Amino acid sequence: MRQTIRLGTVRRIPVGAHWSVLIILFLLADGLAVSLLPTVVPGYAAATYWLTATWAAVLFLGALVAHELAHAVTAQHFGIKVESITLWALGGVSTLDDKPRRARAELLTALAGPVASLVAAGLFAAASVPARMAGADLPRAAFTWLAGANLVLAAFNLLPGAPLDGGRILAAALWALRGDRAAARRTATQAGVVLGILMAGAGALLLLAYGLIGGLWLVLLGWYLSFAARGEYAAAALSEHLRGLPVRAAMSTPAVCGYAWHTIPEFVIGTARLCPHRAYPVTGVDGRLAGLVSVAALGAVPPQRRAETRLADVMAPVSRLRLARPDEALLDVAGALTSARMLVVVDGDRPCGVLTAGDVSRLLGVAQLAGSAAGSHGIGATG
């Protein structure tokens, strides 16, 4: 989920929102201002209801950020790099650069989010007490709704199906009991598919049989849950295929490099035009990796400045790159390809190849063909 609105950085984690979060912000505010608050606390002007509803909706989104931050901070505690936190129409997403290496880490990372939502519910419930004592009925109603909404958020996320937190908890528990992480992930994703179908079915029943518009939300949530669970099931299958393989099995060699001192025209004419790629490693005078330059970064340089602009001026420095080693487990670096289009493979400090999602897909395709050929050969031999 790509961020279109930057909200800031917390613990070196970029926090932002997809534009679709504006939809949920409006719908929450509209539901509170038009339906809930006037029913619970009648007698106020429409503008007053909308003002109260707006800050309540913003606080709810803040609680969502706290939920995701709890996941992120716990992941960081276990040495997992967190790429970003993004809010969108159906909730929040914490993008991790890697996966927990132990069941306990996965369990605690998953559990942290619902715990944060429960804490938020308690804080909002506590805030409603002085509001009630002061006779501030609208703030009291808003804080009470926020407490209930966060309780529902915690309960919903604890449902036992991936990609919900409850599915992660289920996978961690099965991993700890059986010692087979892949099988645990498959079970959790299968549970997520079933849970999504049941939710969508219940939502359709509420919408069609009883005319409740809330059923539409259940249909959307159920569809998303089932869709995301199927995606995770495919990712679990991918992990099984990649298990035990080193990076060198998939990487493309040799690495087509640019030189830090080359100007853009020199590089385009001498290298990029002959070997078209999306990005290129950049080396220094000593042959060591200095950074990575993308075609997009080169194209962003105004034409009149390209003749005097060197690759060193526009490349991403090596300190910002996620590097891979030839003997590193392919499964350990595959997740980084979701946020980086290319990983530079280095032997010592020198680039010896590159790894892209296409390289991994090609390896899987060949492996599947080889497996099919072996299976066909085996049937013919025994038939």
Side-chain angles (χ1 to χ4, degrees):
M1 186 65 62
R2 179 172 294 181
Q3 295 181 359
T4 51
I5 304 171
R6 283 295 300 271
L7 301 177
T9 302
V10 180
R11 291 177 62 94
R12 300 187 303 277
I13 304 170
V15 180
H18 186 259
W19 65 264
S20 60
V21 79
L22 299 176
I23 298 175
I24 192 65
L25 180 64
F26 171 77
L27 291 175
L28 286 173
D30 181 70
L32 287 169
V34 176
S35 300
L36 182 63
L37 292 178
T39 301
V40 176
V41 189
Y44 288 87
T48 305
Y49 287 126
W50 272 100
L51 181 62
T52 304
T54 300
W55 63 254
V58 170
L59 283 178
F60 178 73
L61 293 182
L64 277 180
V65 172
H67 178 109
E68 295 302 326
L69 272 175
H71 287 310
V73 171
T74 307
Q76 286 182 330
H77 172 75
F78 288 106
I80 302 168
K81 183 181 178 182
V82 182
E83 292 288 341
S84 63
I85 293 175
T86 307
L87 298 183
W88 70 298
L90 295 181
V93 177
S94 296
T95 303
L96 308 183
D97 185 49
D98 199 359
K99 292 181 174 61
R101 299 181 183 274
R102 296 184 180 179
R104 180 173 177 269
E106 182 155 18
L107 174 66
L108 294 179
T109 300
L111 194 58
V115 169
S117 292
L118 290 174
V119 171
L123 292 174
F124 287 130
S128 70
V129 175
R132 176 173 55 82
M133 294 176 63
D137 292 334
L138 271 179
R140 174 191 57 79
F143 283 129
T144 301
W145 174 82
L146 282 165
N150 278 276
L151 280 175
V152 170
L153 179 65
F156 175 73
N157 272 282
L158 286 172
L159 292 175
L164 297 176
D165 296 333
R168 314 280 187 217
I169 293 170
L170 174 63
L174 293 175
W175 181 12
L177 288 173
R178 301 175 182 173
D180 189 336
R181 179 180 186 177
R185 290 181 65 192
R186 285 199 303 271
T187 301
T189 53
Q190 289 168 341
V193 172
V194 173
L195 185 60
I197 293 172
L198 292 175
M199 286 177 59
L205 179 64
L206 291 175
L207 184 63
L208 299 176
Y210 300 98
L212 297 176
I213 194 65
L216 181 60
W217 282 107
L218 275 180
V219 171
L220 290 174
L221 285 171
W223 170 82
Y224 168 73
L225 181 60
S226 179
F227 177 80
R230 292 177 192 274
E232 292 211 3
Y233 186 87
L238 175 67
S239 296
E240 289 190 56
H241 285 298
L242 298 184
R243 185 184 301 173
L245 293 176
V247 167
R248 68 170 68 253
M251 71 182 190
S252 294
T253 57
V256 179
C257 300
Y259 300 100
W261 63 88
H262 271 173
T263 63
I264 293 179
E266 288 173 337
F267 171 70
V268 170
I269 294 172
T271 302
R273 190 178 62 177
L274 303 176
C275 303
H277 297 294
R278 288 184 174 181
Y280 300 83
V282 179
T283 61
V285 178
D286 55 4
R288 291 185 171 88
L289 181 67
L292 184 75
V293 67
S294 67
V295 172
L298 297 176
V301 179
Q304 63 272 19
R305 292 180 49 201
R306 291 175 186 171
E308 60 189 35
T309 301
R310 302 188 183 278
L311 297 190
D313 301 325
V314 293
M315 70 181 184
V318 68
S319 59
R320 288 171 46 194
L321 301 181
R322 167 63 163 94
L323 305 179
R325 306 285 175 180
D327 296 324
E328 192 172 357
L330 184 57
L331 189 57
D332 290 344
V333 304
L337 291 174
T338 58
S339 56
R341 290 185 174 182
M342 173 186 288
L343 298 182
V344 182
V345 185
V346 294
D347 186 3
D349 295 325
R350 302 173 188 274
C352 61
V354 296
L355 182 70
T356 66
D359 293 324
V360 177
S361 296
R362 183 170 58 250
L363 175 68
L364 289 174
V366 172
Q368 289 169 353
L369 287 173
S372 299
S376 299
H377 178 76
I379 291 172
T382 56

